[in-house]
């Protein structure tokens, strides 16, 4: 999920290489390569609960700003994730049957998010996992870059849909090599779960970062 420099898809779900060639010759360094390509690793660990962080968000603070009663499942339109510095428009993406079967789904080369319409919708009555994917960029800032550096379990964010607003709490932040992402647990059917996927910024050519979240309340 990074915009590729050469438009070559890989076997990973929303696979990609980093942002378009604004900077020719950009390539991963040896320090960015995963040490074990067969095992997922944590991209982000929760901070020590005994140490206060700057301006902590009280539990439920995001939920308190959301209307009472979750709206019906509907198309997501925006994700606002304050702790990850992310406020991104979400578009509908209808991958073809070949891409879905191989879980090799490539979003358009923009900085926006893309909802995989062939899976689940967020909201009451959801019947499958909701997936939103987006590119990370190597040569400039982009919303999905921040999932690699700032996302952490316990974070809260909101999803605005065509039917209303939903609040979510992050359960896990995990990296997978692009070869193993397609067979990872994130593809299990999990109604009401939301999964964000992009390229892991320290190794955009070989690794993806996934953020799994559940609705609050």
């Amino acid at each position: 999920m990074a915009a590729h420099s050469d438009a070559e898809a890989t076997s990973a779900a929303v696979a990609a290489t980093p942002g378009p060639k604004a900077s020719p010759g950009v390539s991963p360094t040896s320090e960015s390569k995963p040490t074990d390509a067969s095992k997922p690793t944590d991209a982000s660990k929760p901070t020590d609960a005994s140490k206060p962080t700057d301006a902590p968000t009280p539990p439920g603070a995001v939920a308190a700003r959301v209307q009472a009663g979750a709206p019906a499942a509907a198309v997501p339109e925006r994700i606002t994730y304050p702790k990850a510095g992310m406020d991104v428009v979400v578009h509908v993406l209808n991958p073809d049957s070949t891409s879905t079967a191989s879980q090799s789904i490539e979003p358009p080369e923009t900085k926006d998010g893309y909802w995989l319409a062939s899976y689940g919708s967020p909201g009451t009555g959801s019947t499958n996992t909701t997936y939103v994917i987006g590119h990370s960029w190597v040569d400039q800032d982009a919303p999905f870059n921040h999932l690699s550096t700032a996302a952490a379990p316990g974070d809260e964010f909101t999803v605005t849909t065509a039917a209303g607003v939903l609040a979510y709490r992050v359960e896990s932040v995990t990296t997978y090599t692009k070869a193993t992402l397609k067979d990872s647990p994130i593809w299990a059917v999990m109604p009401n779960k939301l999964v964000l996927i992009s390229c892991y910024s320290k190794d955009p050519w070989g690794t993806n970062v996934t953020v799994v979240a559940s609705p609050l309340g």
Side-chain angles (χ1 to χ4, degrees):
M1 283 100 2
H4 320 159
S5 57
D6 60 0
E8 177 186 357
T10 72
S11 61
V14 211
T17 56
K21 279 188 177 175
S23 301
V26 175
S27 61
T29 62
S30 58
E31 67 178 356
S32 69
K33 295 178 181 177
T35 55
D36 186 342
S38 64
K39 298 180 180 179
T41 59
D42 287 340
S44 175
K45 296 184 175 64
T47 56
D48 186 340
S50 65
K51 298 178 181 179
T53 57
D54 293 336
T57 302
V62 172
R65 297 193 293 271
V66 179
Q67 64 202 51
V75 176
E77 299 176 339
R78 179 177 290 274
I79 293 176
T80 304
Y81 187 161
K83 286 194 173 180
M86 187 177 186
D87 186 13
V88 65
V89 171
V90 177
H91 305 285
V92 177
L93 181 62
N94 287 290
D96 59 37
S97 57
T98 301
S99 297
T100 302
S102 65
Q103 291 175 324
S104 241
I105 304 168
E106 184 67 22
E109 292 184 358
T110 76
K111 295 181 180 181
D112 295 336
Y114 291 86
W115 167 62
L116 302 186
S118 53
Y119 293 90
S121 303
T124 301
S126 171
T127 59
N128 200 345
T129 312
T130 299
Y131 297 94
V132 176
I133 67 177
H135 287 301
S136 291
W137 293 52
V138 296
D139 54 355
Q140 52 191 290
D141 188 37
F144 281 86
N145 289 23
H146 305 163
L147 296 181
S148 299
T149 58
D155 289 351
E156 295 178 6
F157 63 88
T158 59
V159 177
T160 301
T161 75
V165 180
L166 295 155
Y168 286 83
R169 178 177 290 121
V170 175
E171 291 184 351
S172 64
V173 181
T174 308
T175 60
Y176 294 93
T177 62
K178 291 183 184 290
T180 59
L181 177 64
K182 62 187 178 65
D183 298 315
S184 73
I186 67 165
W187 298 106
V189 175
M190 300 179 290
N192 295 312
K193 298 280 187 180
L194 175 67
V195 180
L196 306 177
I197 310 174
S198 189
C199 282
Y200 183 48
S201 60
K202 291 185 179 180
D203 179 24
W205 283 268
T207 311
N208 288 121
V209 60
T210 65
V211 176
V212 178
S214 293
L216 288 170

